Amino acid sequence: MLRDYHADIPPINTDLTATGAVTAYCLWRSTDRAGVPDEPPPLWTQLTVVPFAISVLHVLRVLDAGGGAAPEELALRDRWLHVFGAVWLLFFLIGIYA
């Protein structure tokens, strides 16, 4: 069964999944706030798209370099992911409380 798959399929699947995740997040962040018609979401919560997309690209780069065999290690020990997560959280909290 596995012999029917080409060796390039896993990277293509990873790229498609990452593209779908970033697209879905962008669409979700650009929708109107629930219960408030015709009012766009705050700019700061829309800006959370930037660190999210950069973190996805960073993970793809790590995977392309041969890393990521243990995803939990990547999530716990990669300082760049921690920085992107902190920026995302900062933008999100500013967007909620500003």
Side-chain angles (χ1 to χ4, degrees):
M1 182 109 170
L2 288 176
R3 68 179 177 269
D4 296 333
Y5 288 99
H6 192 271
D8 291 336
I9 287 183
I12 291 170
N13 286 342
T14 304
D15 293 344
L16 285 172
T17 303
T19 302
V22 171
T23 302
Y25 188 79
C26 288
L27 289 171
W28 176 65
R29 282 308 337 142
S30 66
T31 58
D32 293 338
R33 292 193 302 184
V36 183
D38 299 327
E39 184 178 336
L43 175 64
W44 286 102
T45 58
Q46 289 180 350
L47 286 176
T48 62
V49 168
V50 175
F52 180 80
I54 291 173
S55 65
V56 169
L57 291 173
H58 175 71
V59 169
L60 288 176
R61 186 184 61 80
V62 169
L63 292 176
D64 191 46
E72 66 279 0
E73 292 294 322
L74 179 63
L76 293 174
R77 300 217 169 129
D78 191 310
R79 293 184 191 262
W80 281 111
L81 282 181
H82 297 164
V83 169
F84 299 140
V87 171
W88 179 91
L89 184 62
L90 179 69
F91 286 174
F92 193 76
L93 290 175
I94 290 172
I96 290 175
Y97 294 112

